[in-house]
Amino acid sequence: MDRTLVLGLGGTVDYELRWDSSVFDTLAHAHGVRRHELTTTAPIVDERSLLVAVLAFVASGTGAERFVASSEVIEDFVSHFDYAITLGGTGVRAGLVLDALGLPSTQHLVSIDDNVRRLLPDTISYICSATEDTLDPHLIVQYPVGAHVRLTDGDVLSPAPNRLIFANDPPNRRMLLSAELPASLSGAGVFLVSGFNTMQDHDLLELRLAEVHRAMQSLPADALVYYEDAGFYTRDFADTVRRRLLPQIDVYGMNEDELQEYLGRAVNLLDTADVIRALREVQTIIPARALVVHTRYWAIAVGPDAGRHRSALDSAVRVAATRYRVGDALTSADIDDTAAMPRHGGGEALVVAVEAALPGAVGVAAFSLDVPTPTTVGLGDTFVGGFLAGAVLSKENA
């Protein structure tokens, strides 16, 4: 590979909580949490409100990313649990996947500390805008299907596995860009843009978007620009990002939770008519050249350039499924093993129907995997890494 993959815009240090229903039982009783209090929208200002939010999401089986009042809230909460310290952020997790596949990358970071220096592989280079070390951890809560928590007046039972992210991260809110970014982009074959979802100052967001736009003028004409949506803390900011960057974006990605947030309604992901309607609706909101929606059952690209990304979609689904079943230490051999596993029947049927109904649409069914302890943290980021790997390798083999 003679072109670099530049992945940004901000990395994180994650505290990955190890799910323990007995600890949640204890906390729920200590705080007197009752079922009618469960809400996903209230401000998260202390340990109790964080607990309430986690339980509300677990009860619905959904994933999300939410802002907390301070990093101290996260530190207090995780002190009750066993947890692992890992690296996160879409760019970093995608880069770790690419590294496992033998593809080096350059990370754009906005914060740094000894955790990052220790955990980032030597094969991944980075540029960083930070002038001093800081640590503002992101809490990652991964829960299994059937997660059971006893409240004082009833139980919470998760209908599906998912992951939750809670953070208060000033460097990622500021999103200061490195002065080295334009030079790094001048030799890039891929530029991954993500992370604007955590910003909360609109004027600052506009400034950063203008700076990114200027830096992107250094990109070679044939470079692939991939933008991954995320759970915006301020949903209107997503509109601002699209207004400023959509013309420069080749592939615009999102997961099933973000799709439903944009539409303001639930989507039955295995109902053909509902999915076709949802894809048409979201295309009117986001008229990208290739709009990719990735879900637990399928991944589908729509838009005028969707057809050129079929092999990248298939790579993305295989890599994400591999991480789901084997965790962080995935290898190329593990990915090859996944390829021989059965696909989800409902997903396969839906993809066929969508491709027939929407001109130019391409899709790939997810795998049907029965895993006792699946990895749901970072699956979207892993999907992105798999997509970029597929895009790079298919271009090299063309």
Side-chain angles (χ1 to χ4, degrees):
M1 185 185 65
D2 58 356
R3 296 277 194 85
T4 57
L5 289 84
V6 180
L7 312 178
L9 291 162
T12 66
V13 173
D14 292 349
Y15 289 175
E16 290 190 23
L17 180 148
R18 293 189 176 95
W19 181 268
D20 188 331
S21 291
S22 65
V23 177
F24 276 101
D25 288 349
T26 300
L27 286 174
H29 281 80
H31 287 291
V33 177
R34 303 177 72 84
R35 281 199 60 88
H36 74 272
E37 295 181 89
L38 300 187
T39 175
T40 62
T41 58
I44 299 172
V45 298
D46 54 19
E47 181 178 277
R48 189 182 195 279
S49 53
L50 176 53
L51 174 65
V52 166
V54 170
L55 296 179
F57 282 115
V58 169
S60 64
T62 55
E65 185 165 348
R66 291 292 184 267
F67 178 73
V68 300
S70 71
S71 294
E72 287 73 20
V73 174
I74 290 172
E75 297 280 3
D76 290 345
F77 191 81
V78 299
S79 68
H80 300 285
F81 296 86
D82 290 332
Y83 63 96
I85 300 177
T86 62
L87 299 183
T90 297
V92 173
R93 286 197 185 276
L96 293 173
V97 169
L98 291 164
D99 180 69
L101 299 177
L103 296 172
S105 63
T106 297
Q107 296 289 331
H108 179 284
L109 304 176
V110 296
S111 60
I112 191 82
D113 82 324
D114 285 342
N115 290 298
V116 178
R117 297 185 186 96
R118 173 174 54 87
L119 295 172
L120 200 65
D122 293 338
T123 49
I124 297 180
S125 59
Y126 66 85
I127 58 177
C128 184
S129 61
T131 57
E132 61 182 5
D133 283 19
T134 56
L135 174 60
D136 293 285
H138 291 218
L139 170 64
I140 313 296
V141 179
Q142 175 179 235
Y143 60 87
V145 62
H148 184 202
V149 180
R150 296 176 177 84
L151 307 185
T152 58
D153 63 343
D155 292 352
V156 168
L157 190 68
S158 67
N162 220 312
R163 67 91 182 100
L164 306 167
I165 303 173
F166 301 94
N168 184 324
D169 190 336
N172 274 285
R173 287 206 305 277
R174 289 192 295 269
M175 198 60 71
L176 180 66
L177 300 185
S178 168
E180 300 176 70
L181 182 58
S184 296
L185 293 181
S186 66
V190 169
F191 181 34
L192 169 63
V193 181
S194 65
F196 287 122
N197 60 301
T198 62
M199 296 189 70
Q200 294 180 303
D201 181 316
H202 192 265
D203 290 341
L204 188 58
L205 174 63
E206 291 275 16
L207 175 62
R208 296 293 182 251
L209 290 170
E211 292 170 347
V212 168
H213 188 273
R214 283 196 296 272
M216 290 171 67
Q217 304 310 304
S218 300
L219 280 168
D222 62 344
L224 176 74
V225 178
Y226 189 112
Y227 174 82
E228 181 69 4
D229 204 301
F232 272 78
Y233 295 170
T234 305
R235 175 47 61 183
D236 291 346
F237 284 15
D239 301 336
T240 302
V241 175
R242 287 198 307 279
R243 188 169 65 252
R244 299 302 186 197
L245 293 186
L246 193 58
Q248 283 72 47
I249 294 169
D250 298 300
V251 180
Y252 191 115
M254 69 176 66
N255 67 21
E256 61 200 67
D257 297 319
E258 291 138 17
L259 169 69
Q260 292 170 115
E261 276 195 53
Y262 276 116
L263 300 181
R265 64 178 177 85
V267 177
N268 184 337
L269 298 174
L270 291 175
D271 181 277
T272 299
D274 201 13
V275 169
I276 290 172
R277 180 162 69 99
L279 291 172
R280 283 175 171 152
E281 287 177 11
V282 77
Q283 267 192 288
T284 66
I285 300 169
I286 308 170
R289 290 195 284 273
L291 176 62
V292 172
V293 180
H294 45 97
T295 79
R296 70 192 74 184
Y297 302 119
W298 45 262
I300 293 173
V302 294
D305 291 348
R308 68 178 62 178
H309 300 297
R310 184 185 292 277
S311 62
L313 269 185
D314 189 61
S315 172
V317 169
R318 278 187 286 112
V319 172
T322 303
R323 188 160 185 273
Y324 178 85
R325 68 183 187 85
V326 305
D328 286 330
L330 62 85
T331 65
S332 294
D334 292 325
I335 295 170
D336 291 341
D337 291 343
T338 298
M341 295 178 179
R343 302 275 180 162
H344 190 281
E348 286 183 314
L350 187 135
V351 165
V352 170
V354 169
E355 289 184 341
L358 300 179
V362 297
V364 177
F367 289 85
S368 180
L369 303 175
D370 184 10
V371 180
T373 55
T375 298
T376 56
V377 175
L379 283 186
D381 306 334
T382 303
F383 179 94
V384 173
F387 187 101
L388 298 180
V392 169
L393 296 175
S394 63
K395 192 171 185 179
E396 290 181 349
N397 297 330

